[in-house]
Amino acid sequence: MNIATLIAEAAVEALKALYGADVTAQQVQVQKTRPEFEGHLTLVTFPFLRMSRKKPEDTGRDIAEWLMQHTDLVAGYNVVKGFLNLVIAPAKWLQLLAEIDADARYGLVAPTSESPLVMIEYSSPNTNKPLHLGHVRNNLLGWAVAQIAEANGNRVVKTNIVNDRGIHICKSMLAWLKWGNGETPESSGKKGDHLIGDYYVAFDKHYRERRR
């Protein structure tokens, strides 16, 4: 249920009943009421003056009274020139909340074959040390972004690059092959990630020397 749509449809009926005018709901302008005025939604009455042949204020009051008598949408109103500010009945808000609560997929846009195709890549932990909460965070952030994109009507492909060592690990591996002489954590007494870090530094050192 969209309350603004219901107001527009009811206004169409009111104009027909009051002035014999045939308009469509698309021709009815309903907008959020400005904060300095009482009301939730505002109906713009200027387009209907040629039908009512009345002042904007009188046209607004005519429509408001019809809505009060023939629908359960409106609990009160005030008219400011060509703007009819409507106070929506509390029962309508409660009905709207109940419908939202009953719809498990409220607000979600189902993707179609014509929807944009989006790929989201996430979670690339360092394979050379144990996983920790930072990796879990990255997993959850990536998954959440994918879910948001899908909820907005996109066709989402999630991809996880497993065992992606990255350029920094490749540099360490190359340095170990060239200058490591078979050194291992056991032979050096160093932790594995510290040993890899040493060869990353070694790569950078040799690289800089060759550039001179």
Side-chain angles (χ1 to χ4, degrees):
M1 177 182 66
N2 184 308
I3 293 179
T5 300
L6 294 178
I7 290 291
E9 292 172 350
V12 169
E13 296 181 28
L15 292 167
K16 179 67 173 179
L18 292 168
Y19 313 123
D22 292 313
V23 299
T24 65
Q26 288 71 33
Q27 293 174 279
V28 180
Q29 300 178 48
V30 179
Q31 58 195 35
K32 185 177 180 180
T33 301
R34 294 173 58 177
E36 61 264 34
F37 300 112
E38 182 185 11
H40 300 107
L41 294 173
T42 296
L43 181 68
V44 182
T45 62
F46 289 116
F48 312 132
L49 302 186
R50 60 182 178 81
M51 305 170 192
S52 67
R53 302 183 184 278
K54 294 183 178 182
K55 295 179 180 179
E57 295 85 349
D58 294 335
T59 301
R61 278 189 284 271
D62 284 350
I63 297 172
E65 289 297 332
W66 191 95
L67 293 175
M68 295 277 289
Q69 294 175 19
H70 297 88
T71 76
D72 59 355
L73 294 168
V74 179
Y77 70 91
N78 63 87
V79 180
V80 181
K81 297 184 178 179
F83 300 94
L84 170 57
N85 303 317
L86 301 169
V87 179
I88 304 303
K92 277 298 168 186
W93 293 122
L94 293 175
Q95 182 182 348
L96 175 61
L97 291 174
E99 290 180 8
I100 291 173
D101 183 61
D103 184 358
R105 294 189 59 80
Y106 177 81
L108 304 182
V109 180
T112 69
S113 59
E114 302 300 319
S115 298
L117 181 61
V118 178
M119 175 178 285
I120 297 178
E121 183 272 320
Y122 63 93
S123 179
S124 183
N126 186 337
T127 57
N128 296 277
K129 62 181 180 180
L131 301 184
H132 51 71
L133 285 177
H135 298 116
V136 175
R137 177 201 62 189
N138 292 340
N139 290 343
L140 295 178
L141 285 174
W143 181 85
V145 169
Q147 293 299 105
I148 291 171
E150 187 173 286
N152 282 275
N154 297 288
R155 292 181 294 145
V156 177
V157 175
K158 297 189 285 288
T159 179
N160 305 89
I161 300 180
V162 179
N163 207 30
D164 177 15
R165 290 177 172 83
I167 189 64
H168 58 296
I169 299 300
C170 292
K171 289 179 178 179
S172 299
M173 293 169 65
L174 181 58
W176 182 84
L177 287 172
K178 286 182 171 293
W179 306 295
N181 298 316
E183 184 179 20
T184 66
E186 290 76 15
S187 67
S188 64
K190 298 178 181 178
K191 292 178 61 179
D193 55 340
H194 291 178
L195 184 64
I196 290 172
D198 289 346
Y199 281 101
Y200 179 80
V201 173
F203 177 94
D204 188 65
K205 176 183 176 182
H206 286 277
Y207 178 74
R208 291 178 182 275
E209 288 176 353
R210 293 195 178 191
R211 290 189 62 188
R212 291 174 183 172

PDB file of all heavy atoms in Angstrom, residues 78-93:
ATOM      1  N   ASN A  78      -5.454  21.331   6.426  1.00  0.00           N
ATOM      2  CA  ASN A  78      -5.415  22.787   6.384  1.00  0.00           C
ATOM      3  C   ASN A  78      -5.048  23.189   4.966  1.00  0.00           C
ATOM      4  O   ASN A  78      -4.408  22.437   4.233  1.00  0.00           O
ATOM      5  CB  ASN A  78      -4.423  23.360   7.408  1.00  0.00           C
ATOM      6  CG  ASN A  78      -2.989  22.922   7.130  1.00  0.00           C
ATOM      7  OD1 ASN A  78      -2.273  23.553   6.355  1.00  0.00           O
ATOM      8  ND2 ASN A  78      -2.574  21.815   7.773  1.00  0.00           N
ATOM      9  N   VAL A  79      -5.509  24.355   4.574  1.00  0.00           N
ATOM     10  CA  VAL A  79      -5.306  24.823   3.207  1.00  0.00           C
ATOM     11  C   VAL A  79      -4.451  26.079   3.229  1.00  0.00           C
ATOM     12  O   VAL A  79      -4.750  27.043   3.952  1.00  0.00           O
ATOM     13  CB  VAL A  79      -6.647  25.116   2.505  1.00  0.00           C
ATOM     14  CG1 VAL A  79      -6.403  25.596   1.076  1.00  0.00           C
ATOM     15  CG2 VAL A  79      -7.540  23.887   2.513  1.00  0.00           C
ATOM     16  N   VAL A  80      -3.390  26.053   2.449  1.00  0.00           N
ATOM     17  CA  VAL A  80      -2.532  27.231   2.282  1.00  0.00           C
ATOM     18  C   VAL A  80      -2.490  27.557   0.795  1.00  0.00           C
ATOM     19  O   VAL A  80      -1.796  26.889   0.020  1.00  0.00           O
ATOM     20  CB  VAL A  80      -1.114  26.971   2.824  1.00  0.00           C
ATOM     21  CG1 VAL A  80      -0.252  28.221   2.658  1.00  0.00           C
ATOM     22  CG2 VAL A  80      -1.157  26.537   4.289  1.00  0.00           C
ATOM     23  N   LYS A  81      -3.299  28.547   0.401  1.00  0.00           N
ATOM     24  CA  LYS A  81      -3.432  28.923  -1.012  1.00  0.00           C
ATOM     25  C   LYS A  81      -3.794  27.682  -1.842  1.00  0.00           C
ATOM     26  O   LYS A  81      -4.831  27.076  -1.614  1.00  0.00           O
ATOM     27  CB  LYS A  81      -2.157  29.605  -1.492  1.00  0.00           C
ATOM     28  CG  LYS A  81      -1.863  30.913  -0.765  1.00  0.00           C
ATOM     29  CD  LYS A  81      -0.646  31.621  -1.320  1.00  0.00           C
ATOM     30  CE  LYS A  81      -0.433  32.947  -0.595  1.00  0.00           C
ATOM     31  NZ  LYS A  81       0.770  33.667  -1.093  1.00  0.00           N
ATOM     32  N   GLY A  82      -2.936  27.310  -2.785  1.00  0.00           N
ATOM     33  CA  GLY A  82      -3.272  26.175  -3.643  1.00  0.00           C
ATOM     34  C   GLY A  82      -2.715  24.856  -3.155  1.00  0.00           C
ATOM     35  O   GLY A  82      -2.592  23.903  -3.947  1.00  0.00           O
ATOM     36  N   PHE A  83      -2.415  24.775  -1.863  1.00  0.00           N
ATOM     37  CA  PHE A  83      -1.835  23.555  -1.304  1.00  0.00           C
ATOM     38  C   PHE A  83      -2.724  23.017  -0.185  1.00  0.00           C
ATOM     39  O   PHE A  83      -2.970  23.708   0.809  1.00  0.00           O
ATOM     40  CB  PHE A  83      -0.424  23.822  -0.775  1.00  0.00           C
ATOM     41  CG  PHE A  83       0.519  24.314  -1.836  1.00  0.00           C
ATOM     42  CD1 PHE A  83       0.710  25.681  -2.023  1.00  0.00           C
ATOM     43  CD2 PHE A  83       1.196  23.414  -2.658  1.00  0.00           C
ATOM     44  CE1 PHE A  83       1.578  26.142  -3.013  1.00  0.00           C
ATOM     45  CE2 PHE A  83       2.052  23.868  -3.647  1.00  0.00           C
ATOM     46  CZ  PHE A  83       2.245  25.233  -3.825  1.00  0.00           C
ATOM     47  N   LEU A  84      -3.214  21.819  -0.380  1.00  0.00           N
ATOM     48  CA  LEU A  84      -4.066  21.156   0.608  1.00  0.00           C
ATOM     49  C   LEU A  84      -3.201  20.197   1.421  1.00  0.00           C
ATOM     50  O   LEU A  84      -2.757  19.160   0.925  1.00  0.00           O
ATOM     51  CB  LEU A  84      -5.185  20.390  -0.099  1.00  0.00           C
ATOM     52  CG  LEU A  84      -6.042  19.452   0.757  1.00  0.00           C
ATOM     53  CD1 LEU A  84      -6.696  20.199   1.911  1.00  0.00           C
ATOM     54  CD2 LEU A  84      -7.076  18.743  -0.113  1.00  0.00           C
ATOM     55  N   ASN A  85      -2.935  20.572   2.669  1.00  0.00           N
ATOM     56  CA  ASN A  85      -2.107  19.758   3.554  1.00  0.00           C
ATOM     57  C   ASN A  85      -2.981  18.765   4.315  1.00  0.00           C
ATOM     58  O   ASN A  85      -3.890  19.168   5.047  1.00  0.00           O
ATOM     59  CB  ASN A  85      -1.337  20.651   4.534  1.00  0.00           C
ATOM     60  CG  ASN A  85      -0.483  21.678   3.812  1.00  0.00           C
ATOM     61  OD1 ASN A  85       0.173  21.361   2.830  1.00  0.00           O
ATOM     62  ND2 ASN A  85      -0.500  22.919   4.293  1.00  0.00           N
ATOM     63  N   LEU A  86      -2.703  17.497   4.134  1.00  0.00           N
ATOM     64  CA  LEU A  86      -3.542  16.441   4.704  1.00  0.00           C
ATOM     65  C   LEU A  86      -2.840  15.735   5.852  1.00  0.00           C
ATOM     66  O   LEU A  86      -1.668  15.360   5.747  1.00  0.00           O
ATOM     67  CB  LEU A  86      -3.889  15.416   3.613  1.00  0.00           C
ATOM     68  CG  LEU A  86      -4.627  15.971   2.393  1.00  0.00           C
ATOM     69  CD1 LEU A  86      -4.674  14.922   1.289  1.00  0.00           C
ATOM     70  CD2 LEU A  86      -6.031  16.422   2.779  1.00  0.00           C
ATOM     71  N   VAL A  87      -3.595  15.544   6.932  1.00  0.00           N
ATOM     72  CA  VAL A  87      -3.115  14.727   8.063  1.00  0.00           C
ATOM     73  C   VAL A  87      -3.656  13.320   7.858  1.00  0.00           C
ATOM     74  O   VAL A  87      -4.869  13.097   7.886  1.00  0.00           O
ATOM     75  CB  VAL A  87      -3.600  15.301   9.407  1.00  0.00           C
ATOM     76  CG1 VAL A  87      -3.121  14.421  10.562  1.00  0.00           C
ATOM     77  CG2 VAL A  87      -3.105  16.739   9.583  1.00  0.00           C
ATOM     78  N   ILE A  88      -2.777  12.369   7.645  1.00  0.00           N
ATOM     79  CA  ILE A  88      -3.202  10.999   7.373  1.00  0.00           C
ATOM     80  C   ILE A  88      -3.684  10.342   8.668  1.00  0.00           C
ATOM     81  O   ILE A  88      -3.082  10.499   9.729  1.00  0.00           O
ATOM     82  CB  ILE A  88      -2.044  10.175   6.768  1.00  0.00           C
ATOM     83  CG1 ILE A  88      -1.520  10.864   5.501  1.00  0.00           C
ATOM     84  CG2 ILE A  88      -2.499   8.759   6.445  1.00  0.00           C
ATOM     85  CD1 ILE A  88      -2.552  11.110   4.442  1.00  0.00           C
ATOM     86  N   ALA A  89      -4.783   9.626   8.554  1.00  0.00           N
ATOM     87  CA  ALA A  89      -5.372   8.965   9.724  1.00  0.00           C
ATOM     88  C   ALA A  89      -4.388   7.951  10.325  1.00  0.00           C
ATOM     89  O   ALA A  89      -3.753   7.185   9.584  1.00  0.00           O
ATOM     90  CB  ALA A  89      -6.661   8.266   9.321  1.00  0.00           C
ATOM     91  N   PRO A  90      -4.236   7.927  11.654  1.00  0.00           N
ATOM     92  CA  PRO A  90      -3.301   6.985  12.297  1.00  0.00           C
ATOM     93  C   PRO A  90      -3.546   5.534  11.900  1.00  0.00           C
ATOM     94  O   PRO A  90      -2.598   4.747  11.761  1.00  0.00           O
ATOM     95  CB  PRO A  90      -3.555   7.210  13.789  1.00  0.00           C
ATOM     96  CG  PRO A  90      -4.042   8.625  13.877  1.00  0.00           C
ATOM     97  CD  PRO A  90      -4.849   8.836  12.640  1.00  0.00           C
ATOM     98  N   ALA A  91      -4.825   5.168  11.713  1.00  0.00           N
ATOM     99  CA  ALA A  91      -5.128   3.779  11.350  1.00  0.00           C
ATOM    100  C   ALA A  91      -4.487   3.390  10.025  1.00  0.00           C
ATOM    101  O   ALA A  91      -4.115   2.227   9.827  1.00  0.00           O
ATOM    102  CB  ALA A  91      -6.651   3.588  11.269  1.00  0.00           C
ATOM    103  N   LYS A  92      -4.333   4.356   9.108  1.00  0.00           N
ATOM    104  CA  LYS A  92      -3.704   4.057   7.821  1.00  0.00           C
ATOM    105  C   LYS A  92      -2.220   3.779   7.979  1.00  0.00           C
ATOM    106  O   LYS A  92      -1.656   2.912   7.317  1.00  0.00           O
ATOM    107  CB  LYS A  92      -3.921   5.210   6.838  1.00  0.00           C
ATOM    108  CG  LYS A  92      -5.254   5.157   6.137  1.00  0.00           C
ATOM    109  CD  LYS A  92      -5.361   3.873   5.305  1.00  0.00           C
ATOM    110  CE  LYS A  92      -6.767   3.628   4.823  1.00  0.00           C
ATOM    111  NZ  LYS A  92      -6.902   2.324   4.146  1.00  0.00           N
ATOM    112  N   TRP A  93      -1.574   4.535   8.871  1.00  0.00           N
ATOM    113  CA  TRP A  93      -0.150   4.274   9.132  1.00  0.00           C
ATOM    114  C   TRP A  93       0.025   2.890   9.759  1.00  0.00           C
ATOM    115  O   TRP A  93       0.950   2.150   9.404  1.00  0.00           O
ATOM    116  CB  TRP A  93       0.430   5.334  10.058  1.00  0.00           C
ATOM    117  CG  TRP A  93       0.513   6.713   9.481  1.00  0.00           C
ATOM    118  CD1 TRP A  93      -0.055   7.844   9.970  1.00  0.00           C
ATOM    119  CD2 TRP A  93       1.218   7.119   8.295  1.00  0.00           C
ATOM    120  NE1 TRP A  93       0.235   8.931   9.174  1.00  0.00           N
ATOM    121  CE2 TRP A  93       1.031   8.515   8.139  1.00  0.00           C
ATOM    122  CE3 TRP A  93       1.986   6.439   7.348  1.00  0.00           C
ATOM    123  CZ2 TRP A  93       1.589   9.244   7.091  1.00  0.00           C
ATOM    124  CZ3 TRP A  93       2.546   7.166   6.300  1.00  0.00           C
ATOM    125  CH2 TRP A  93       2.349   8.537   6.173  1.00  0.00           C
TER     126      TRP A  93
END
